[in-house]
Amino acid sequence: MPFIKRLYAIISFETDSDTTELLYLGREYPLGYDYFRQRLHKAFSGQAHLTDEEQIRTGVARAQFVKKEIEAMYYLKRYRTLKQRYENK
């Protein structure tokens, strides 16, 4: 039983840190922070009923993938802005 409690504690920490990082990234989301926060809450609360370890790990991996995609979107936006700014000079 202690193994299961420790496992859930680790998974809880991972999901909390992913949620925090995604909320931080959502500050500059094109549709606004409120829109992003509501969608993120809906996504995480929709998976709150999961108890199987494998399904939870899959959800954590999906959250990390989304985080990387949002970061890539921001880097692309920054690159395009800089390219546009310095291209005409």
Side-chain angles (χ1 to χ4, degrees):
M1 197 67 160
F3 173 73
I4 294 173
K5 287 183 180 180
R6 190 172 69 223
L7 176 67
Y8 283 127
I10 291 170
I11 291 173
S12 175
F13 175 75
E14 288 177 4
T15 56
D16 288 347
S17 66
D18 286 339
T19 306
T20 304
E21 290 175 8
L22 283 168
L23 282 173
Y24 181 77
L25 289 173
R27 293 179 309 151
E28 298 178 19
Y29 196 72
L31 296 176
Y33 177 75
D34 291 331
Y35 174 83
F36 184 83
R37 185 182 172 281
Q38 290 172 0
R39 298 288 299 252
L40 183 66
H41 177 73
K42 188 176 179 181
F44 272 90
S45 62
Q47 302 297 320
H49 67 281
L50 296 179
T51 56
D52 182 36
E53 177 188 352
E54 190 60 37
Q55 290 178 338
I56 294 171
R57 295 242 181 241
T58 303
V60 169
R62 187 181 314 128
Q64 292 171 351
F65 173 77
V66 169
K67 184 175 66 171
K68 289 178 186 177
E69 287 292 316
I70 292 172
E71 287 175 347
M73 181 180 70
Y74 289 156
Y75 287 132
L76 181 62
K77 181 180 175 184
R78 181 178 175 205
Y79 169 75
R80 287 179 177 167
T81 302
L82 289 173
K83 183 178 178 184
Q84 182 182 18
R85 188 176 296 160
Y86 293 109
E87 190 175 62
N88 297 333
K89 292 185 178 186

